[in-house]
Amino acid sequence: MHATTTLTSHITHLECAVSKEKFDHKQIQTFCENEKDGWKAPLYAKYDLNEKVDKNVLRDRVSSLWRYFEFLPVLDPANVVTLGEGMTPLLSLENLAKSTGINKLLLKDESLNPTGSFKARGQAVAVSKMKELGVTKCIVPTAGNAGGALAAYCAKANIEVTVVMPRHTPEIFKQECRYFGAELILVDGLINDCGKLVAQIKAEKGYFDVSTMKEPYRLEGKKTMGFEIAEQMNWTLPDVIFYPTGGGTGLIGLWKAFHEMKAAGWIAGKFPKLIAVQTENCQPMVWSFEGKHKNASSYQAKPSMANGLAVPSPFAERQILEVLSESNGFAISVSEDELLEGVKTLARREGLFVAPEGGALLPAMKKALENKWISPDDTILLLNTGSAYKYAENLI
């Protein structure tokens, strides 16, 4: 992959997000479960950050997320399964900045990843690690993009994959999985209903479950968005990041990346305020953040044209709330009409055809400015997670 240098991951172990119990990264791991107290928590990959990496090494590195190899969990570069994911553009939204009076407005455009979304990052790293650990069969519940991305990388890695998807998902997502050779199972309901079926099939057939935050490595792929933002901004960070939040892996990943880069001496100064954006049809994190329910375990959601936001009960709810709290951020929701208008505005004003999830960011930002929760003097970054072309059915 990089003939010039020997690449070495600095991973040391996995750690429970709650108990801090350590787990062996050289064994197949899922999540941490405390049966006595009844909680489950994700495992985080931990790295030896005292072993300094000079960021100048990046000058000669591949233009993909694998340029940050020391901070990724794959031990042998020969196990890397790549379709060219990462290093997506960071664009300046000058027209919208001018019309809204914002000093600096940026958009990180994840639609240019393989299979058209940021899910390619997580699945590239998860599948590479599955290959390294000898996993041959896996299964995933998906709202759309994660299933297609997993199917693509599993095709490349010769790993069998079963994708469980809501029946109302746009047809292109289903066809994509079939073309990549995945077994596709359709379910009446949302992603949590798919998750229940996955748990059942996994128990019967012994598949490895690649559900959001129920294995440690999708997070590692997603966090590279944080590394890229810093590198593309010359090792500074924006003041505010608006992030469309379903399962929350990207939000948690950004926060993890900032901490790792700071420990490695790559960045200094304060971290951005992270803002979780949801749709009114499915806003469990807004309710949790505002204390409207004890937790999201029994939250009742409706489908959304932003399929990726329709996650009624995120597995990493506790960790999402921690990130919002630590970053002095908040959770905010917009209506389906508002997010559609956001898609149209970004298209008309900036020539960008963003996914409905990305469209939600613009009205959320406007609300935050009106309420003076953020300042027009802030450097604001919107993180568009995917391409609108895949959602054509929802947008007609």
Side-chain angles (χ1 to χ4, degrees):
M1 195 178 68
H2 311 272
T4 47
T5 54
T6 307
L7 293 169
T8 311
S9 169
H10 290 178
I11 189 170
T12 53
H13 62 282
L14 299 170
E15 186 178 285
C16 172
V18 174
S19 71
K20 310 300 179 208
E21 183 187 340
K22 292 182 179 182
F23 293 79
D24 184 358
H25 66 283
K26 291 178 181 169
Q27 304 289 321
I28 294 171
Q29 304 288 1
T30 53
F31 53 88
C32 184
E33 195 161 9
N34 182 316
E35 284 175 10
K36 185 166 71 76
D37 296 327
W39 54 260
K40 296 173 181 177
L43 297 180
Y44 290 163
K46 294 290 179 177
Y47 299 84
D48 180 358
L49 298 166
N50 295 318
E51 200 180 328
K52 290 291 182 231
V53 180
D54 183 346
K55 60 186 181 223
N56 289 323
V57 300
L58 299 172
R59 284 181 194 161
D60 304 319
R61 293 265 174 103
V62 65
S63 184
S64 81
L65 65 79
W66 296 101
R67 62 199 281 105
Y68 309 113
F69 195 87
E70 290 83 356
F71 300 91
L72 290 169
V74 177
L75 303 177
D76 182 351
N79 290 319
V80 167
V81 180
T82 181
L83 297 169
E85 54 292 328
M87 256 315 149
T88 56
L90 187 67
L91 306 168
S92 180
L93 305 183
E94 282 138 13
N95 296 337
L96 284 170
K98 205 174 285 179
S99 64
T100 46
I102 293 165
N103 177 36
K104 194 169 185 186
L105 182 59
L106 304 168
L107 181 135
K108 177 80 167 152
D109 191 8
E110 289 291 294
S111 71
L112 278 82
N113 275 302
T115 70
S117 88
F118 73 140
K119 298 290 185 182
R121 291 180 188 268
Q123 304 300 22
V125 177
V127 170
S128 297
K129 201 63 191 171
M130 279 194 269
K131 181 182 169 185
E132 187 156 84
L133 293 167
V135 172
T136 57
K137 292 184 297 190
C138 65
I139 189 166
V140 73
T142 182
N145 273 314
L150 182 63
Y153 286 92
C154 282
K156 179 85 170 164
N158 298 312
I159 291 172
E160 278 180 52
V161 59
T162 299
V163 175
V164 185
M165 187 184 283
R167 197 178 302 280
H168 66 262
T169 309
E171 198 59 35
I172 185 67
F173 292 99
K174 300 171 195 171
Q175 290 298 359
E176 178 180 50
C177 292
R178 292 185 183 118
Y179 267 96
F180 290 131
E183 179 193 10
L184 181 65
I185 299 172
L186 301 175
V187 169
D188 294 314
L190 296 173
I191 194 168
N192 53 325
D193 302 297
C194 297
K196 286 169 194 160
L197 183 59
V198 164
Q200 195 183 317
I201 296 171
K202 182 184 73 172
E204 287 166 16
K205 298 192 178 177
Y207 289 179
F208 182 70
D209 183 359
V210 199
S211 296
T212 302
M213 300 301 287
K214 288 189 181 176
E215 59 75 56
Y217 303 116
R218 282 174 66 178
L219 175 66
E220 296 306 289
K222 294 274 187 74
K223 81 177 181 191
T224 58
M225 293 187 293
F227 279 80
E228 286 176 25
I229 288 165
E231 187 177 356
Q232 289 169 318
M233 292 183 69
N234 197 22
W235 306 108
T236 62
L237 293 173
D239 299 306
V240 183
I241 297 177
F242 282 85
Y243 193 87
T245 304
T249 317
L251 192 82
I252 297 163
L254 288 171
W255 201 237
K256 188 175 191 286
F258 301 152
H259 281 283
E260 288 173 2
M261 285 187 286
K262 189 167 189 180
W266 285 15
I267 57 170
K270 68 182 180 66
F271 293 171
K273 186 189 290 272
L274 294 185
I275 297 164
V277 180
Q278 299 200 301
T279 164
E280 287 170 6
N281 281 15
C282 185
Q283 51 178 332
M285 296 315 305
V286 177
W287 281 29
S288 295
F289 183 80
E290 293 176 355
K292 286 183 179 168
H293 56 198
K294 187 176 165 218
N295 58 51
S297 59
S298 54
Y299 181 84
Q300 295 299 305
K302 291 185 215 150
S304 168
M305 72 175 76
N307 300 78
L309 296 183
V311 182
S313 179
F315 181 73
E317 176 184 8
R318 183 168 169 177
Q319 289 71 42
I320 296 168
L321 290 171
E322 278 169 12
V323 168
L324 296 180
S325 163
E326 287 170 21
S327 73
N328 294 314
F330 50 88
I332 185 170
S333 66
V334 300
S335 71
E336 295 285 301
D337 286 345
E338 285 173 321
L339 68 83
L340 181 57
E341 195 49 47
V343 172
K344 289 175 180 172
T345 303
L346 278 160
R348 287 190 201 121
R349 302 299 309 282
E350 296 289 351
L352 293 168
F353 202 27
V354 304
E357 293 85 349
L361 303 174
L362 210 52
M365 179 191 79
K366 286 176 180 168
K367 282 184 190 182
L369 283 165
E370 281 162 17
N371 286 299
K372 298 192 166 42
W373 296 335
I374 59 168
S375 159
D377 298 330
D378 290 331
T379 295
I380 299 168
L381 185 143
L382 311 179
L383 211 149
N384 172 46
T385 48
S387 166
Y389 292 106
K390 292 176 78 174
Y391 293 79
E393 276 174 60
N394 290 0
L395 298 172
I396 290 166

